[in-house]
C-alpha cells in the first residue's frame, strides 16, 4: 500500500511539473511576441520622427524662401528648386533604409 501512495504522489508531482513547463513555455512565447512588438513600434516611432523632421525642414525652408525672395518669380523658382532637392534627399533616405 505505501508504494501505491508514493506512486500516486510522484505522478501528481510529475503532472504539476508538466503543467509548470507548459506555462513557462507559453510565458516565454508571450514575452518574445511582446519584444517583437516593442521593436516594431520603436521602428514606427523612428519613422514618424523622421517624417516630422522632414515636415519641419520643409516648413523652415518655405519660410526662408519667403523671407529671401522679394519678387514672386524668383520666389517660385527658388521654391521649385528647393522642393526638387528635398525630393532627391527623400529618395536618398529611402534608398539608404533599404
Amino acid at each position: 500500500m505505501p508504494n501505491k501512495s508514493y506512486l500516486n504522489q510522484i505522478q501528481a508531482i510529475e503532472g504539476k511539473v508538466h503543467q509548470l513547463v507548459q506555462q513557462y513555455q507559453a510565458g516565454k512565447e508571450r514575452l518574445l511576441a511582446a519584444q517583437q512588438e516593442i521593436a516594431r513600434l520603436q521602428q514606427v516611432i523612428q519613422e514618424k520622427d523622421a517624417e516630422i523632421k522632414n515636415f519641419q525642414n520643409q516648413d523652415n525652408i518655405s519660410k526662408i524662401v519667403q523671407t529671401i525672395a522679394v519678387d514672386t518669380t524668383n520666389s517660385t523658382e527658388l521654391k521649385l528648386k528647393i522642393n526638387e532637392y528635398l525630393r532627391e534627399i527623400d529618395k536618398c533616405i529611402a534608398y539608404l533604409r533599404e
Side-chain angles (χ1 to χ4, degrees), residues 15-82:
K16 290 180 181 181
V17 168
H18 181 69
Q19 286 178 338
L20 203 58
V21 168
Q22 286 179 334
Q23 290 174 353
Y24 171 76
Q25 290 297 333
K28 226 169 108 173
E29 289 172 7
R30 285 192 307 270
L31 177 62
L32 180 61
Q35 288 171 335
Q36 290 172 343
E37 179 68 6
I38 288 170
R40 185 188 70 78
L41 291 173
Q42 286 175 335
Q43 179 66 31
V44 168
I45 288 171
Q46 288 177 353
E47 290 171 2
K48 296 301 177 188
D49 284 345
E51 286 179 23
I52 288 170
K53 285 180 185 176
N54 186 25
F55 288 131
Q56 288 172 339
N57 287 341
Q58 287 179 356
D59 185 48
N60 289 340
I61 290 171
S62 204
K63 288 177 184 176
I64 291 169
V65 167
Q66 289 173 358
T67 57
I68 291 176
V70 178
D71 67 60
T72 57
T73 306
N74 287 341
S75 175
T76 304
E77 288 176 17
L78 190 54
K79 280 183 184 180
L80 291 174
K81 196 65 173 169
I82 289 174

